[in-house]
Structures are given as C-alpha cells and as structure tokens.
Amino acid sequence: MKLIHGRFFMSFLYVNESKCKKDGACAMACPMGLLQVEPGQSIPKAIPGAETLCLQCGHCLCACPHAALSLTTLKMEDCVPLKKELHVGLEQAAQLLKSRRSIRRYKSEPLERCDIEALLETARYAPTGKNTQPLSWLVVYDAALVHTLAAHVADWMKDMLRQQHPMAAWLQMDTLVKTWDAGADLLLRHAPHLIVAHAPKANPMAPQSATIALTTFEIAAAAAGLGACWAGFFQLAAGMWEPLQKALNLPEGHISHGALMLGRPAVKYYRIPTRKQPDVIWR
Ligand SMILES: Cc1cc2nc3c(=O)[nH]c(=O)nc-3n(C[C@H](O)[C@H](O)[C@H](O)COP(=O)(O)O)c2cc1C
Ligand code: SF4
C-alpha cells in the first residue's frame, strides 16, 4: 500500500483517507466480499486478487456516503448522485407499471432520435448477469425498413404454413398472413421504429439480460408518454428465418434476443385492465 497525493493506493482501489469514516459501508455493499474494513479502525483494503474477481458493479462506490473511494476501473465522478426530489414512491411506481400497455396502434410520425436515446440511456442500467452488460442495440429508425422486416416475418410465416409446422396453427399464421396480404400489418403493427437487443450467441447471460433491458426500455417509454410492444413474431422469425437474419445484418456472431415496436401511441387508456391475482405459495 502506497500513499500518493494524499490517497492510499492498493492495486485497484483508491481510498481518500481524509474523507473515509471507516464505517465499512463499502465492504457491506460488495457482492463479492472483496473489501475488508475493521469498522472504526481501518480504511478499506482489497483482498488479494480482488481486481480479477471484481464485477465492476460500483456498489462499493455508491454505498459510500462520503464519496471516499474509487477503483482504477470505476470513477466516483461517473456514478451519478441520487436526487432526493426525484424519489418515486410505490403508489406512483405501481401506477406506472400497471398502466404500461402493449401499444399496437402508432401515429406514423417518427420519434426524435434523442427521445429514443433517452430510453436506451435508461435501459443500460438494467441488471445483467454478473454485470456483464452483454447487450448491443439495433435501432431500426427507418419506418420503411421496419416494414421490410415485417415482410420477412410474413414470408417466414408462409414458409411455416407450407411446412405445416405445428407453430403455424398455434400462432394462427394463416390469418396473420391473409391480413398481411390484405395490407394490414399485425406483425409489427405499422410501428415507425423497431428496437432490437442483440448480443453474442455464446453469452449465457444475454437472453435474460435482454428481456430485462427491453422491459426497462418499455417502462421508460411508457413514462415518457411513448408506446412500445414486444415483437414476439419478429423474434421467433429472427431465430429461424435466414432472409430476416440477413436483412438484420447484426454483427458477426450476434443474435437477436428480443425486440420492441416503438412509436407515439394512437390509443389512449383511461383505466388499468384487471389481471389474475398472484398465484403464490408461501412457505
Ligand atoms: C440473469 C441475472 C442473474 C443474476 N444472478 C445473480 C446471482 O445469482 N447472485 C447475485 O448476487 N446477483 C445476481 N444478479 C445480479 C447481477 O450481478 C447485477 O445485476 C449486476 O452485478 C449489476 O448490479 P445492479 O443490479 O446493482 O445494477 C443477476 C442478474 C441477472 C440479470
Ligand atoms: S465494484 Fe462491486 S464487486 Fe468490485 S469491489 Fe466494488 S462492490 Fe465489490
């Protein structure tokens, strides 16, 4: 341990001794048990090998009330302080979460790119397995390209019907295809935009992480007065239909892990539709 410019340097951990109150908050928060503090006695020390075990989750920095530590890989300045005035209570959060609807009718006008960027900015904070943050995004901003992708989904359905694939009957693809051929898009709902979460195929954390990030995105969209809907048909086709995969042109080795239609809602809701009571076993 060396003292440099008033800070103790211990491999990947910097502690500002003048700020540190030796309360052990950082050690308590570390999910990996990488920091050791004798409360009231010593400043935090990293255990041997901590730098390789560290998840870069930032819990240690953000749980320190005195902003007394940084990691070589994670700076205090990059961790945004919480604003008390923006605190959301359960009642407000519950209304937002319950009133989120799957939006299937969109105004044709495009969103501002900055509005989509604000949603991505929120979604990047969604939890990811081992904090791997494995996701990348494809924003299909061009409505004509969204329509082209929907046409690939329709072609996939026609192929599934030809094969008499069991999924074709289960998903009523005959009706969907007839409707598509008649000019109505029940596949991507004439949405002006499509947001695709993609990641390397081999990453085992990616599917759940994508689902959570897309869910976060969808809720953020609802909070912003925008509308989104899970693109389930698209996602099934993206996993199976080569022409769609080619049209998506994702980076080498990446696959789609889920997608959302996005736009300005053309339907307004005044009530929250009821849902089943939770089916719970308590032990
Ligand atoms: C699919 C998934 C699995 C996870 N599994 C565990 C787990 O088994 N144990 C654990 O302590 N944290 C688990 N986490 C939490 C992540 O480690 C955590 O999201 C990540 O470190 C980022 O921290 P944050 O959620 O506080 O932003 C999991 C998260 C996800 C999304
Ligand atoms: S960043 Fe997370 S895992 Fe790494 S030392 Fe801090 S709390 Fe522990």
Side-chain angles (χ1 to χ4, degrees):
M1 185 168 72
K2 284 187 259 175
L3 183 65
I4 304 171
H5 304 310
R7 289 172 174 215
F8 284 98
F9 174 65
M10 293 165 291
S11 63
F12 83 128
L13 176 71
Y14 295 86
V15 181
N16 185 328
E17 208 193 6
S18 65
K19 288 184 175 177
C20 180
K21 301 282 184 282
K22 302 171 183 160
D23 54 19
C26 53
M28 282 277 286
C30 177
M32 303 296 286
L34 303 181
L35 306 178
Q36 289 176 333
V37 181
E38 280 175 56
Q41 302 291 314
S42 70
I43 62 166
K45 290 184 189 130
I47 66 165
E51 55 271 49
T52 53
L53 295 168
C54 177
L55 301 178
Q56 311 296 331
C57 68
H59 280 216
C60 50
L61 273 66
C62 296
C64 176
H66 320 294
L69 66 153
S70 268
L71 306 180
T72 47
T73 48
L74 208 56
K75 302 284 173 274
M76 187 61 83
E77 308 83 82
D78 295 332
C79 300
V80 183
L82 287 172
K83 292 180 184 162
K84 275 193 188 142
E85 66 276 18
L86 294 184
H87 173 77
V88 174
L90 177 59
E91 257 186 302
Q92 293 92 337
Q95 168 149 308
L96 171 64
L97 293 165
K98 291 177 184 178
S99 63
R100 171 218 57 80
R101 296 273 66 80
S102 296
I103 299 302
R104 300 188 183 87
R105 286 194 186 271
Y106 298 94
K107 295 183 178 166
S108 57
E109 74 206 43
L111 300 180
E112 297 291 335
R113 282 176 190 244
C114 61
D115 292 335
I116 300 176
E117 279 164 359
L119 304 179
L120 292 170
E121 167 60 17
T122 300
R124 80 183 169 99
Y125 287 86
T128 58
K130 294 202 89 182
N131 196 33
T132 47
Q133 303 175 58
L135 292 183
S136 302
W137 300 90
L138 169 69
V139 177
V140 186
Y141 186 75
D142 177 1
L145 182 52
V146 177
H147 189 75
T148 302
L149 297 176
H152 281 298
V153 178
D155 288 346
W156 166 71
M157 289 190 171
K158 287 173 186 172
D159 187 63
M160 296 287 273
L161 286 162
R162 265 193 299 274
Q163 290 180 43
Q164 299 185 335
H165 194 290
M167 205 192 286
W170 183 61
L171 291 176
Q172 296 162 321
M173 288 186 184
D174 51 348
T175 310
L176 292 166
V177 160
K178 267 185 213 143
T179 315
W180 172 264
D181 286 341
D185 174 11
L186 300 182
L187 308 174
L188 291 178
R189 302 277 175 177
H190 300 284
H193 312 297
L194 184 74
I195 311 295
V196 182
H198 61 93
K201 191 177 181 178
N203 188 320
M205 300 293 185
Q208 279 170 304
S209 298
T211 305
I212 301 167
L214 286 162
T215 302
T216 306
F217 187 104
E218 186 188 14
I219 294 163
L226 303 177
C229 183
W230 284 80
F233 297 135
F234 166 87
Q235 177 54 23
L236 284 171
M240 299 168 74
W241 188 238
E242 218 179 297
L244 176 57
Q245 291 164 351
K246 281 198 177 131
L248 281 173
N249 193 22
L250 295 176
E252 185 67 29
H254 279 223
I255 57 168
S256 168
H257 284 291
L260 289 172
M261 306 161 216
L262 180 70
R264 212 165 278 290
V267 176
K268 193 170 160 57
Y269 294 91
Y270 298 92
R271 287 173 182 266
I272 297 166
T274 191
R275 296 288 184 254
K276 275 167 66 176
Q277 291 296 323
D279 178 17
V280 187
I281 296 170
W282 294 73
R283 292 215 166 100

